[in-house]
Amino acid sequence: MVKFRIDGREVEAEPGTTLLKVAEREGIHIPTLCHNEWIEPYGACRVCTVEVARGRRRRLVTSCNYPADEGIEVFTDNERVRRTRALLLEMLLARCSEVPRIKELAAEYGIEKSRFGYDPKERCILCGLCTRMCNEVVKANVLSFAHRGVDRKVVTPLEREMCSDVCITCGACAHVCPTQAITIEDLRKRKGEVPEFFLGPTTAISIPFQQAVPKVPYIDPESCIHMQTGGCGTCAEVCEPEAIDYDMQDEVVELDVGQILVCTGYQLFDASQMAQYGYGKLDNVFSSLEFEQMLNSTGPTSGHVLTKNGKEPRAIGIIHCIGSRDEHHHRYCSRVCCMYALKFAHLVKDRTKAEVYQFYIDMRAFGKGFEEFYTRILDEGVNVIRGKAAEVVEATWGDGREGHLLVRCEDTLIGKFREIPLDMVVLCSALEPNADADKVANVFSLNMSPDGFFLERHPKLDPMGTMSDGIYIAGCCQGPKDIPDTVAQAQGAAARILALIAKGEVFLDPIRASIDEDRCGACKICNNLCPYTAITFDEEKNVSVVNETLCKGCGTCVAACPAGAITGSGFTDEQIFAEIDGILADAGDSA
Amino acid sequence: MPYRLHLMVCAGTGCVSNRSLEVRDALEAEVAKQGLAGEIEVITTGCNGFCGVGPILLVQPDNIFYQQVKASDVPFLVEEHLLKGRPVKKLMYTPPEAEEVIPKMRDIPFFGKQMLIALRNRGLIDPEKIEEYIARDGYRALAKALTSMTPRQVIEEVKASVLRGRGGGGFPTGMKWEVAVSTPADERYLICNCDEGDPGAFMDRSIVESDPHSVIEGMVIGAYAIGVHQGYIYVRHEYPLALKRFMLALEQAREHGLLGKDILGTGFDFDIEVHRGAGAFVCGEETALIASIEGKPGEARAKYVYPAVQGLNGKPTVINNVETWATIPVIIDRGAEAFAQIGNRSNGKGSTGTKVFSLVGKVNNTGLVEVPMGITLREIIYDIGGGIANGRKFKAVQTGGPSGGCLPEQMLDLSVDFDSLLEVGSMMGSGGMIVMDEDDCMVDVARYFVDFLQGESCGKCVPCREGLRHMARVLTDICAGRGKEGDIEMLEELGQTMLNTSLCALGGTAPNPVLSTLRYFRDEYEAHIRDRKCPAGICRELITYSIDPEACTGCAVCAKECPVKVITGEPKKVHTLDAARCIKCGVCYDVCKFNAIIRV
């Protein structure tokens, strides 16, 4: 440890610690412009200058990189230091005359105007924070200085427009720039638009949503800088329990199970397929999930309802049946939209002073308390128009109301066409099966109903079972339904599963097929035919084998086997002929 | 069979551009033609230093000095001197103001007063032949160091010589080596700084072109002392001949086992890589040079931790200038004490050894001189330099290049050494010495250097980049007649801050030309600002030309030469000059034989 004095105070520090660090520790403020704790000190701005006395020798040094030494005396704010900083800031002010940070720092030292010139346009103070961040921390090596002296500037390779191919748009440079010479909007514009709201994580590491299980952060490999360039690694550095392991890989786990419950959910209909509603083209047209995210207090607007320009809308329109009850898209009704649309209306009325318009065909308020809620919404003054909206367009009115949206519809109750001006439109998009539903169906041998959802065993008496024993479905993968119904279905399926596990043994129908090993020709036709995937092929014995538990005795394989090796128990040829003989036995006498 | 005469043709850059190689070819042809090829050898040597009178031819062993030799002079010269034994007077050197020629080189004051240590072999050997270097005791010091001295002893010898860096910094060389050795590290480096950037300076170029092995020998000795196995030579891009001579010399040294693996069979390994600069003055600064070798842009770094502790790739690195390296073999060969006797060091003050200066400007004898420390400016400028040319009066001498200052007449008896120059507001620098007369404007000189530095600043730190920009603007304004009250004070204020807060010596010494001219020639600044006049007649906007009616003879030469035809008059009658349209080009002033053009 070395002992020295700073502003009259006795302090000590590890030899080599910079004066700036010691000052910070002691609560002494020294202004800096080109300094950042994550990056090596640079010494370019010279604003952190302090005076150091060593014996009789006094000199001005930069505190950001001057190492503490035994017996020195440091002055961070005496007359000489202040005068020096004032001149340096006056020089900077001449270069960047309208940058707020420079103006306020210069004013602190009594400089309101610079004798050396005035440039209202220049924003970059050549502090090098962006280049060093990019090269030392992120290690993307995109930014560098070029040219000398007063021509010095920050450039990308070959001086291409700000975002070259190697830039990964991490935004670190914009984050660290003290004068907003680089901004995130700048980067976004040149790299490509980022959608307003999106349902994925907003940073490379984030907790997916507040109700996530387990509630731990997740790293998105596509946007994580460390996984792209090997740099950064800040999260692992700050994590005290050292819980971050970048080398974690997905594990493939194989489990032996007896029963499977498939609840893969739904996806939202992409309303950009219906161009007339302007989704994806017009500003302020949102899908229901996006609006839900906006309303959520952990969402992008912290729960405020705002249009793209940050203002509260004066009127919102909610359009029902987008993609549902539609000959061109989905003929079924998505069941949940009417109620959440009413919920949206209620929340908007609650949080804003906006007018709300509902454009519906029928109001499906089927559940417990649902009709009462609808009546309440009507009482709250929501404008409910019976007539599906035909299109959403942008208004082009002359008196400064550009950017508004117009919804055109037929109000069937009054028999007129209407054009309603709104600031925001919410589309109640249909619930549809996941895009990969057919692949999932293949894996679990599930059938699908014509609308693409998984087929239940019986629409009334067995909505959770499937044709395959031991495989159940629950939730929206079986058909659109709301939360209470999903929970009910899931609990039912779980109960069925538990019942079987608790019983420990299964009762089987005695009617089933069996394969004669001596006659089986190993053609494997029966394997693919069985609707219950009850037949597998035994490689060792070179014969097909029927799983008696799964077999339902439908007889398809019996008929199909070219070698006649399969018999259904109780339905062998001899037995059938015997039965026919038996039936015709009485008839034989009278003929 | 020994030759009876050697004809040493100077092939330094200056003489080569004056066609000395044609002289060599003519000599070889003529000598052969006259059947003298067996008795007379023609050799090309490095720079002799008297560049103002090149191409130079030295006839040895007679020491006859011929100057301004042309290829067409050769046949006469060969016949007269080489065949008939009559040296040719018209090609010999006549000092200014003198009647008689001085045939022998050692009698010529320009040479006689010099003491050659770094330049010990100049003009005497062919720099492209290692054997000639060795014949003049070359590499003897290396052999002595490697075989009979320990590395520690070598360092002690260099410390005892009190040798200080010849590149401008003047840091004690032995101490620098000591720091590098005592910093614990697994690897150390050694660099030769040949990025001579000062305008008008050519000391290092000359040493390398005339005697590259002296530098290499010094580096190998240094490597042995410090424990280095990889060295670098950083040659500025604009020195192609120096680069060529270095590459050749390195090859030859390797072939002779003086460089590379197992040097002189002692098991010591050391090799040198050459790195070219790319046109940046700032890369002469050691931390920027190191950055450049590392492949980064040439930007200076803070020197609170010296390169000798943490330099190239973070390892202890010793950087020394060409002249410093060239001096090392002499210290080892003759001993530190003999070296320390040279110069003016006593009682802890003064400096040891010699210094090479490039003496240029308004003197009669311009060229490269090496003189012992302690010699006065007067001796250099008048005895060696032959005094001010064209009968003009001495005004100032600028030492140390863009980092140095201008010293007036009162300082002529100053003994030249590192500290004495610093005390009076200038510095030794790398050895540039520009002599000025009454026709040089000191404000313009300051403006020139500040302008140069503005273009060469790396731009990293605020005081240098912005300070130089504003200083240059103010000085340009003053020279153009736009100076205002308060400008001088602003220059002083900017200068002080730049001095104290610049990151490297470029910015730190940049105010010197301005501050020293303000100190000694403040009246010139005031004349420019208050009176809108340039006393030296250099700053165009501030001078007016007129015709003296008493002296004008009406010869009309000026009227004929005037490019804008503002001089009118009848033949044999006094002419008049229209000052309003005059563009101040000065041609009339130059051509008038009657001193009838008045310039104020």
Side-chain angles (χ1 to χ4, degrees):
Chain A
M1 296 291 257
V2 292
K3 287 198 181 46
F4 60 100
R5 292 162 67 87
I6 180 166
D7 285 350
R9 271 186 246 181
E10 293 278 346
V11 294
E12 58 175 39
E14 290 288 335
T17 316
T18 64
L19 296 181
L20 185 65
K21 273 216 180 70
V22 178
E24 274 169 4
R25 198 188 67 199
E26 295 290 319
I28 298 175
H29 169 72
I30 299 180
T32 62
L33 280 172
C34 73
H35 179 78
N36 182 291
E37 58 178 327
W38 289 103
I39 321 173
E40 288 300 308
Y42 197 48
C45 71
R46 320 307 283 176
V47 165
C48 68
T49 297
V50 296
E51 190 176 28
V52 168
R54 206 188 268 270
R56 276 190 311 163
R57 225 184 124 207
R58 286 177 160 241
R59 63 192 272 219
L60 293 175
V61 303
T62 44
S63 52
C64 62
N65 55 9
Y66 190 86
D69 203 3
E70 184 73 33
I72 57 175
E73 172 118 41
V74 181
F75 303 96
T76 69
D77 204 31
N78 64 13
E79 172 63 34
R80 188 181 182 202
V81 167
R82 290 195 69 85
R83 230 182 325 118
T84 306
R85 286 194 199 141
L87 190 64
L88 291 167
L89 289 165
E90 193 182 350
M91 287 198 263
L92 268 173
L93 190 62
R95 183 191 159 89
C96 302
S97 316
E98 288 300 323
V99 169
R101 177 102 181 85
I102 303 295
K103 281 165 78 173
E104 71 186 32
L105 203 51
E108 272 177 48
Y109 286 87
I111 307 288
E112 296 292 330
K113 195 161 125 54
S114 176
R115 291 169 289 172
F116 303 120
Y118 179 80
D119 184 351
K121 292 215 273 284
E122 182 62 66
R123 293 201 77 88
C124 176
I125 56 170
L126 297 175
C127 65
L129 278 169
C130 57
T131 60
R132 288 176 290 138
M133 198 63 168
C134 190
N135 299 333
E136 285 176 39
V137 177
V138 175
K139 299 205 177 72
N141 292 314
V142 178
L143 295 172
S144 170
F145 281 115
H147 310 302
R148 277 204 300 258
V150 292
D151 297 328
R152 186 167 159 98
K153 59 182 186 177
V154 177
V155 297
T156 53
L158 301 175
E159 289 194 62
R160 285 213 193 96
E161 266 290 293
M162 197 56 191
C163 283
S164 68
D165 307 332
V166 281
C167 171
I168 58 172
T169 332
C170 68
C173 54
H175 178 77
V176 90
C177 175
T179 61
Q180 286 87 51
I182 307 181
T183 55
I184 284 280
E185 283 70 39
D186 238 354
L187 291 169
R188 285 223 184 106
K189 274 204 199 81
R190 300 183 214 233
K191 222 25 188 175
E193 277 297 337
V194 167
E196 276 304 307
F197 306 118
F198 44 90
L199 306 178
T202 49
T203 53
I205 182 168
S206 62
I207 297 178
F209 46 92
Q210 289 308 312
Q211 294 82 25
V213 173
K215 193 167 165 195
V216 292
Y218 150 81
I219 297 180
D220 176 17
E222 310 263 298
S223 25
C224 167
I225 292 166
H226 182 81
M227 304 216 179
Q228 302 282 321
T229 69
C232 195
T234 307
C235 57
E237 262 182 65
V238 298
C239 177
E240 273 182 46
E242 294 180 29
I244 299 186
D245 175 10
Y246 295 110
D247 296 323
M248 243 184 194
Q249 296 292 338
D250 287 340
E251 268 181 75
V252 176
V253 179
E254 274 188 36
L255 302 164
D256 265 335
V257 295
Q259 298 176 88
I260 299 176
L261 175 54
V262 176
C263 27
T264 50
Y266 70 94
Q267 72 182 20
L268 205 64
F269 172 73
D270 181 4
S272 55
Q273 292 176 54
M274 302 179 79
Q276 65 268 40
Y277 296 111
Y279 181 70
K281 282 205 308 282
L282 298 175
D283 286 340
N284 299 317
V285 175
F286 299 115
S287 72
S288 45
L289 270 176
E290 287 172 345
F291 193 63
E292 187 70 56
Q293 198 181 28
M294 192 195 295
L295 286 171
N296 194 304
S297 49
T298 61
T301 58
S302 309
H304 297 290
V305 181
L306 300 170
T307 57
K308 193 176 178 188
N309 59 10
K311 298 213 183 68
E312 225 181 64
R314 289 161 302 175
I316 298 186
I318 304 174
I319 307 181
H320 294 219
C321 304
I322 302 295
S324 317
R325 303 184 67 184
D326 193 322
E327 289 215 347
H328 301 293
H329 299 283
H330 298 297
R331 296 181 110 167
Y332 56 80
C333 162
S334 291
R335 193 163 159 134
V336 302
C337 327
C338 283
M339 290 320 293
Y340 74 58
L342 293 177
K343 175 192 76 179
F344 283 164
H346 173 73
L347 285 172
V348 168
K349 275 294 199 197
D350 196 39
R351 293 182 193 183
T352 73
K353 294 200 259 307
E355 283 292 323
V356 181
Y357 291 86
Q358 297 264 10
F359 302 91
Y360 74 101
I361 306 176
D362 293 293
M363 202 54 87
R364 286 168 175 193
F366 54 90
K368 190 169 180 181
F370 286 9
E371 185 66 28
E372 294 90 321
F373 186 62
Y374 175 39
T375 319
R376 178 175 165 190
I377 294 302
L378 292 174
D379 288 340
E380 282 180 1
V382 171
N383 305 296
V384 180
I385 299 176
R386 185 172 182 276
K388 182 167 174 185
E391 60 176 359
V392 178
V393 296
E394 256 187 315
T396 49
W397 295 3
D399 56 315
R401 291 166 76 176
E402 294 79 12
H404 295 308
L405 301 167
L406 294 177
V407 174
R408 295 198 177 120
C409 67
E410 182 192 356
D411 188 339
T412 56
L413 292 180
I414 60 173
K416 287 203 192 312
F417 289 111
R418 288 178 76 170
E419 197 179 73
I420 319 256
L422 304 163
D423 287 334
M424 188 187 287
V425 169
V426 181
L427 303 175
C428 297
S429 312
L431 270 58
E432 58 180 25
N434 274 316
D436 60 355
D438 49 349
K439 294 206 189 66
V440 173
N442 257 340
V443 171
F444 296 101
S445 310
L446 300 171
N447 292 327
M448 289 160 65
S449 32
D451 52 20
F453 291 100
F454 296 144
L455 187 62
E456 61 284 357
R457 195 139 180 248
H458 192 281
K460 289 198 170 96
L461 301 174
D462 198 354
M464 279 154 265
T466 64
M467 297 307 184
S468 310
D469 271 353
I471 301 188
Y472 306 90
I473 49 178
C476 284
C477 65
Q478 183 258 337
K481 58 179 67 70
D482 58 6
I483 296 174
D485 293 345
T486 305
V487 172
Q489 212 181 31
Q491 286 184 334
R496 293 269 295 273
I497 292 169
L498 284 171
L500 218 52
I501 293 174
K503 243 198 310 202
E505 35 180 48
V506 239
F507 283 114
L508 295 175
D509 221 314
I511 302 176
R512 61 197 183 286
S514 58
I515 298 181
D516 185 346
E517 285 184 7
D518 295 329
R519 291 177 85 154
C520 173
C523 69
K524 294 198 218 168
I525 289 179
C526 55
N527 292 23
N528 297 328
L529 269 181
C530 176
Y532 304 101
T533 56
I535 308 185
T536 50
F537 191 73
D538 187 335
E539 295 287 347
E540 273 184 39
K541 292 203 202 149
N542 211 38
V543 291
S544 295
V545 177
V546 173
N547 181 338
E548 293 179 349
T549 327
L550 291 175
C551 175
K552 297 276 180 277
C554 68
T556 311
C557 56
V558 178
C561 178
I566 313 184
T567 44
S569 49
F571 287 92
T572 63
D573 289 347
E574 294 78 9
Q575 286 166 312
I576 294 178
F577 287 136
E579 278 178 41
I580 296 174
D581 283 341
I583 295 170
L584 296 176
D586 294 331
D589 290 346
S590 45
Chain B
M1 184 188 139
Y3 294 98
R4 68 168 170 94
L5 279 180
H6 284 105
L7 303 177
M8 327 280 281
V9 182
C10 180
T13 300
C15 289
V16 167
S17 21
N18 244 335
R19 301 188 168 149
S20 66
L21 293 180
E22 283 177 22
V23 172
R24 175 205 55 194
D25 294 340
L27 279 170
E28 281 178 346
E30 194 64 27
V31 161
K33 186 163 138 206
Q34 300 287 357
L36 296 166
E39 338 167 357
I40 297 179
E41 195 184 13
V42 180
I43 298 172
T44 43
T45 68
C47 175
N48 272 285
F50 204 162
C51 308
V53 299
I56 293 178
L57 171 64
L58 188 63
V59 181
Q60 295 282 52
D62 303 335
N63 203 232
I64 303 290
F65 181 84
Y66 288 125
Q67 44 102 57
Q68 294 183 24
V69 179
K70 292 190 285 301
S72 51
D73 295 324
V74 168
F76 181 72
L77 183 110
V78 171
E79 193 185 319
E80 283 296 307
H81 184 159
L82 304 185
L83 279 173
K84 298 181 183 164
R86 296 203 290 252
V88 179
K89 276 214 178 132
K90 76 165 195 259
L91 290 174
M92 289 181 194
Y93 170 74
T94 314
E97 320 288 327
E99 304 285 322
E100 278 301 312
V101 296
I102 304 183
K104 290 190 194 277
M105 187 194 211
R106 67 176 78 92
D107 298 328
I108 298 175
F110 179 85
F111 292 105
K113 288 221 148 190
Q114 294 187 39
M115 182 186 291
L116 302 183
I117 296 203
L119 294 171
R120 55 195 177 277
N121 289 326
R122 78 156 174 211
L124 297 173
I125 60 167
D126 181 340
E128 299 192 1
K129 294 207 172 85
I130 189 175
E131 297 83 7
E132 300 201 5
Y133 178 72
I134 294 175
R136 278 188 60 84
D137 299 337
Y139 287 110
R140 184 168 75 181
L142 175 62
K144 177 178 173 188
L146 283 182
T147 57
S148 66
M149 294 169 84
T150 62
R152 166 56 36 193
Q153 282 171 327
V154 175
I155 295 184
E156 290 305 322
E157 199 69 15
V158 174
K159 279 165 80 172
S161 71
V162 201
L163 173 69
R164 286 170 71 165
R166 297 289 193 251
F171 193 86
T173 308
M175 206 186 287
K176 191 186 274 193
W177 292 15
E178 181 74 63
V179 171
V181 162
S182 51
T183 306
D186 55 356
E187 217 179 339
R188 294 183 180 79
Y189 295 105
L190 197 147
I191 301 181
C192 170
N193 186 344
C194 189
D195 189 65
E196 188 169 51
D198 289 359
F202 55 105
M203 297 72 65
D204 296 345
R205 174 167 67 69
S206 220
I207 292 176
V208 176
E209 287 175 0
S210 326
D211 195 9
H213 286 285
S214 62
V215 180
I216 296 172
E217 185 180 357
M219 286 177 80
V220 184
I221 294 173
Y224 174 68
I226 306 166
V228 171
H229 302 290
Q230 178 64 51
Y232 294 88
I233 296 179
Y234 191 94
V235 184
R236 67 178 289 191
H237 190 90
E238 296 83 351
Y239 281 179
L241 185 57
L243 177 71
K244 177 172 155 221
R245 299 246 157 102
F246 255 140
M247 300 297 281
L248 190 57
L250 287 168
E251 249 330 287
Q252 292 176 342
R254 286 190 198 106
E255 280 166 20
H256 283 70
L258 295 158
L259 188 69
K261 293 227 171 315
D262 195 23
I263 296 176
L264 287 178
T266 59
F268 175 61
D269 299 336
F270 173 67
D271 209 335
I272 298 175
E273 212 180 285
V274 177
H275 190 109
R276 289 189 84 170
F281 171 78
V282 70
C283 283
E285 200 277 336
E286 58 182 357
T287 57
L289 192 155
I290 289 177
S292 176
I293 294 184
E294 285 174 351
K296 303 191 187 126
E299 274 175 17
R301 298 174 211 176
K303 273 173 50 171
Y304 303 134
V305 178
Y306 286 119
V309 174
Q310 237 183 52
L312 184 62
N313 300 332
K315 311 280 185 211
T317 306
V318 166
I319 300 195
N320 279 123
N321 171 263
V322 164
E323 196 182 329
T324 314
W325 288 121
T327 310
I328 296 287
V330 173
I331 293 176
I332 300 297
D333 193 34
R334 299 188 207 168
E337 218 183 289
F339 181 84
Q341 301 287 8
I342 305 168
N344 68 344
R345 188 159 179 89
S346 72
N347 296 334
K349 292 181 76 97
S351 312
T352 59
T354 56
K355 179 79 188 77
V356 179
F357 288 101
S358 70
L359 184 62
V360 296
K362 303 290 180 71
V363 281
N364 280 309
N365 303 334
T366 55
L368 212 63
V369 305
E370 189 171 1
V371 290
M373 295 281 190
I375 193 174
T376 63
L377 285 168
R378 192 183 293 281
E379 284 174 87
I380 299 178
I381 295 171
Y382 287 93
D383 297 345
I384 299 179
I388 307 299
N390 296 330
R392 289 275 194 264
K393 216 164 106 30
F394 173 89
K395 183 171 187 185
V397 59
Q398 209 272 0
T399 65
S403 314
C406 300
L407 299 173
E409 200 180 351
Q410 308 94 278
M411 302 287 163
L412 272 176
D413 293 303
L414 186 75
S415 282
V416 170
D417 68 51
F418 282 105
D419 302 315
S420 63
L421 285 167
L422 276 169
E423 278 161 27
V424 294
S426 181
M427 66 190 263
M428 176 96 69
S430 55
M433 195 175 273
I434 307 178
V435 180
M436 299 169 191
D437 65 17
E438 73 249 39
D439 289 336
D440 287 302
C441 171
M442 302 319 289
V443 186
D444 184 61
V445 165
R447 186 199 56 79
Y448 168 77
F449 281 116
V450 168
D451 209 40
F452 169 78
L453 287 168
Q454 195 202 181
E456 295 294 335
S457 163
C458 78
K460 177 169 167 181
C461 75
V462 170
C464 173
R465 180 186 75 231
E466 306 292 335
L468 278 170
R469 186 217 305 241
H470 300 306
M471 265 196 168
R473 194 177 29 89
V474 171
L475 285 165
T476 308
D477 280 350
I478 294 178
C479 289
R482 294 190 292 268
K484 349 187 244 303
E485 278 303 316
D487 274 353
I488 294 181
E489 288 72 18
M490 186 189 284
L491 287 172
E492 285 173 332
E493 199 187 335
L494 281 169
Q496 275 305 315
T497 300
M498 284 169 65
L499 231 144
N500 290 323
T501 61
S502 291
L503 190 143
C504 81
L506 191 156
T509 57
N512 285 355
V514 181
L515 293 177
S516 65
T517 47
L518 274 171
R519 178 170 166 180
Y520 297 116
F521 301 96
R522 200 184 186 93
D523 51 312
E524 270 190 65
Y525 280 86
E526 285 170 352
H528 279 72
I529 295 174
R530 294 190 192 142
D531 310 328
R532 297 273 190 274
K533 287 250 161 283
C534 175
I538 292 288
C539 299
R540 277 220 193 148
E541 274 87 332
L542 304 182
I543 51 182
T544 20
Y545 287 99
S546 57
I547 297 181
D548 181 357
E550 313 269 302
C552 177
T553 61
C555 70
V557 170
C558 59
K560 193 155 70 94
E561 296 295 324
C562 175
V564 285
K565 302 282 176 269
V566 298
I567 302 182
T568 48
E570 290 177 22
K572 299 269 202 291
K573 296 263 184 11
V574 168
H575 279 53
T576 48
L577 192 155
D578 182 1
R581 284 170 40 228
C582 168
I583 62 166
K584 330 274 178 72
C585 66
V587 168
C588 56
Y589 186 81
D590 289 338
V591 300
C592 179
K593 294 192 178 22
F594 303 98
N595 285 326
I597 305 280
I598 304 172
R599 180 173 72 187
V600 285

